[in-house]
Amino acid sequence: MVVEEVCMKEEMPRGIGVCGGDVRESLRRRRLIRAPALKIFVCFELTSTEQNPYRYARQSLLLQPRYGEHPDALVRPTRIHRRGAKSSTRVKLNDLPQGIIPAEPLEPLQDEPAYPTVVQQARRNMRAFEHCVLLTRVGNFYELYLEQAEEYGPLLNLKVAQKKTTAGPVSMAGFPFFQLDRFLKLLVQDLHKHVAISEEFANPVSEKIKSGGLLFDRRITRVITPGTLIDERFLDPLENNFLLAVHLGDPSDSLPTSQARTELKVDSHVKKSKHAGLAWLDLSTGDFFTQSIRLPSLVSSVARIGPREILLEDLPSETPGSSLSSTLNEFRPLITFVPPREAGSQLGSSTALTEDLMAESDHKDFTPEEISASSILLQYANSQLLGQQLKLQPPVRRQLPESMLIDKHSMRALEIKTTLREGFFKGSLLHAVRRTVTSSGSRRLNDWLTSPSMSLPVINGRLDLAEYILGDPELREPLVGLLRKTSDSKRIIQRFSLGRGDSDDLIALCKTIQITHEISTRLDAHQHALRGHENSVRQPTEQSCIDTLLGRLRLDGPLQLAERIASAIDEEGVNQLHRFEEAETAAVVSLAQIVESEAAGEDEEGVETKTRSRKAKKTEAIKPLDPDFQDVWVMKKDASELLEQLHSELDGLREQKQLLETELRERLNVTSLTLRWTPGLGHICHVKGRDAKQTSSALDHVRTVSSRKTTRSFHLPEWTSLGGKIDQMKLRIRAEEQQVFLSLREESVLHLVKLRENAAIMDELDIACSSAKLAQERQLVRPILNHGLAHKIVGGRHPMVEGGLEEQGRTFTTNDCFVGDQGRIWFITGPNMAGKSTFLRQNVLLSIMAQAGLFVPADYAELGIVDQIFSRVGSADNLYENQSTFMVEMLESAAILKEATSRSFVIMDEIGRGTTPEDGIALAYACLHHLYHTNRCRALFATHFHVLADMAQAGGMEQVTCLCTDVAQAPDGSFSYVHRLRRGVNRQSHALKVARLAGE
């Protein structure tokens, strides 16, 4: 053992002892040395002479290591003694080690600037989360510091101030805490940034000593990214917030052998290619899906899912799979690169995050690509939530034969979710058919329209339920009214599973369970009434769908949960608490406005003359907290036995307060005396008026804390003691209320599976009511679906165009379509503006609506199941990707010819128009020939190349049927369009008439 004495004297030369000077200077800079003659004895145990002695000396003195330094030590301290007596130590030169010290050169000492504590904590968190924008909670504000304040302050329209510190000016910008969601939306959704939230945590007494007396520690509680939103207010309630992971599989991998074969087989001309695994989840609802797809359909699948964030492995350029980022280049702002997945990591290792471990038989149904993508997804979600336990639904595997595929171009061209030109929601298919009254029902309808089913039992089940509700308006209206009162229980229960949520969520969940039970009771009573009615016209299938729906509801546990919540939570107390919170928020807003006005006024002349008025405004804005706030209880007094006992004791203390107040009034002969509590003065006795002067002589022994002309406040030991007991009792009640809330939240999570299943049933009922209401408003009919290849429509109408014409007071011209029955390909010609494109799009839209389980705008509809929808309509370029309008057209056409099967439905409009007539005719004929002979699918082919009709007839294409639209010419030269199709070929496009209309 070697004992070194470090003497902390100002006059002592630097370098005494092993590390005396450095430690002295370091301690002095950190203000740990207040007396110049303070001595510290450090006992070191030498372990190696090749390590840095200064590092561990600093640690032994409770100093934090510098950023970039490792806490490895030469010496291990055994004890530290402190004493105030002066002493000295003499060491002979011969006793000191001589010669070259066998050690590495010490790193140069580079102390950080002595920033304030809050800034140091922010710097520490910024370095730990370098990829994030850090928002640090400081009192009632969130603040940005240093370079992040300079970069993001102007983007967020925040003023960047310079805070003077001993280390120099520090850039900072901030906003009130209640505006957090607003700025999170700007950062996360608009700027696609990752945001780390640093919250304040009060240091306990032991930690305050270690931290040098700091009141608060600031730690990162959550990292928010575009795909990991949970309960933020800007989260869209009508759309899912999906986080998607993509993993490229090996070319030798194939689909799982246990995948069931169906009669809907892919044609042999579609060549096999690499497969990619997709896994996506919505953290706000717990929905979790996987799918294995062929690589060419990756972009379309991503567009269909509509993720808010895409995860790709950050692989070297020469590694297979590194090209995914270029494939998904159009989604570049949404892509987040994650570290490569560890070898051997499988979905089974991550299923501890789900409710139930996947059975071994189910696990075999997942492909290696899906397993890898799921592993990437769950690991990333867990890391962003900082280790919070996820509670997800078991992964649902989406198989290719289960749903219709709509490629990216068709999704946009058919305007399923947004309009093609402006990108608006109004004018889209979803806008035209949505009549849902719940947010979760709207999300489910969105999923049905983007992934229509190919299962006849599933489709017919949806149609049966809608037809059942359509047949009885007296049943539909009460159901819609009840559904409108429900809350989004999926997102509520997911918040609970992640340790979030509040008493409002419990109340909303309770009401939703009660309404679900009321709906079940109403439907069951309606079923019994129909069975007892001899003249009932209901079909057995219609009644069986209601029986199936009621049989799926699981209300045994949730009903007891609702009763427990209703008996525990005081809803009026919750509302009163909100009123106090709103008042506090208003006070903070006023304070923020004053601070902002002061900051702006500093640059103006005559600031000194305005100081007094600003101080007066500030005093007026910052009012003390209402003392009644402490008496607002969220839980009912009998929510638990302990809570009831505590409230009883509190009532006894309040009676003592009233007795004490009465006694003091009588003893002091002061009628205006009241016992109060204020944030600044604590428990005081307050008198006013003439009583303030009368008590002066009687209370000479008490300490006056506030005295004015008409009021006086003073401390009284009896009231101080009693008031402290009341405060402690209120704190105990608050703590017990929190325990009751936590127990209710945990009990809700125990019924998570049942609540999610019930919510899914309510979604289906909401969509059925929406479909029935839409059918009544727009005279829609139930489609008949089968496994044939024909598309039979009588009196079909475009679902969006018809609504737009009705707003203008115009009517829509209906048209029939028998493609696949009277000709496999319909060859359509006619003038510009005569409705060819409208006819093409309306027919594929009817197929989408029918397979989604909705009624369709037609007089009669009998449709064969479609596996894929393809469309080549409209014109657009992609100059960023070096693609002209004609190139985009050719790429889309090539994708159709490669991917379409005999069960697909293809619409192609004006192929070859972007080049010379000769080349355009050649390209159009080649596409027509390939569709007829190779793809052999249903197709609507519109063109202005009239010669193609003659070429198709000469080429022996007997299943090509020619139809056209026309123009009606009046004797005075005026004309009108004839939108109804007729057989034949119209060899005039009348383009000059359209040009004349445009010029008028």
Side-chain angles (χ1 to χ4, degrees), residues 139-279:
N140 288 329
F141 292 84
Y142 282 98
E143 296 184 353
L144 293 159
Y145 292 103
L146 303 169
E147 61 272 12
Q148 290 191 353
E150 297 176 357
E151 180 180 359
Y152 297 105
L155 296 177
L156 300 176
N157 198 23
L158 296 174
K159 180 177 180 180
V160 180
Q162 297 294 325
K163 182 178 181 180
K164 295 181 180 180
T165 67
T166 56
V170 174
S171 301
M172 58 181 296
F175 53 87
F177 71 95
F178 55 84
Q179 293 183 344
L180 176 62
D181 286 318
R182 171 192 168 192
F183 288 97
L184 279 180
K185 180 182 184 300
L186 293 174
L187 288 169
V188 177
Q189 286 194 339
D190 299 343
L191 300 178
H192 302 286
K193 299 297 181 181
H194 295 189
V195 179
I197 305 296
S198 175
E199 297 288 354
E200 288 181 335
F201 294 89
N203 280 328
V205 178
S206 59
E207 293 296 329
K208 288 181 182 178
I209 297 176
K210 295 181 181 179
S211 61
L214 295 180
L215 296 178
F216 295 98
D217 185 23
R218 291 174 176 86
R219 301 191 299 271
I220 303 298
T221 57
R222 188 183 163 204
V223 177
I224 301 175
T225 69
T228 57
L229 303 179
I230 298 176
D231 55 358
E232 287 68 26
R233 294 181 182 177
F234 58 88
L235 185 63
D236 192 344
L238 304 180
E239 291 187 8
N240 284 102
N241 195 83
F242 283 127
L243 173 68
L244 170 68
V246 183
H247 179 77
L248 184 63
D250 186 80
S252 60
D253 291 339
S254 60
L255 294 174
T257 56
S258 60
Q259 180 174 321
R261 302 293 181 181
T262 66
E263 70 264 23
L264 305 177
K265 297 181 179 179
V266 178
D267 288 4
S268 59
H269 76 278
V270 179
K271 298 180 179 179
K272 294 182 179 180
S273 61
K274 291 183 180 180
H275 287 80
L278 305 181

Side-chain angles (χ1 to χ4, degrees), residues 267 789 824 900-904 930-938:
D267 288 4
L789 300 177
R824 190 168 2 106
T901 70
S902 61
R903 193 167 288 279
S904 301
H930 196 280
L931 289 174
Y932 187 88
H933 292 285
T934 305
N935 301 104
R936 303 181 66 82
C937 59
R938 285 165 280 184

Side-chain angles (χ1 to χ4, degrees), residues 893 897 908 911 922-932 935 941:
S893 301
L897 300 180
M908 301 187 80
I911 295 296
L923 289 170
Y925 181 76
C927 292
L928 184 63
H929 186 277
H930 196 280
L931 289 174
Y932 187 88
N935 301 104
F941 195 96

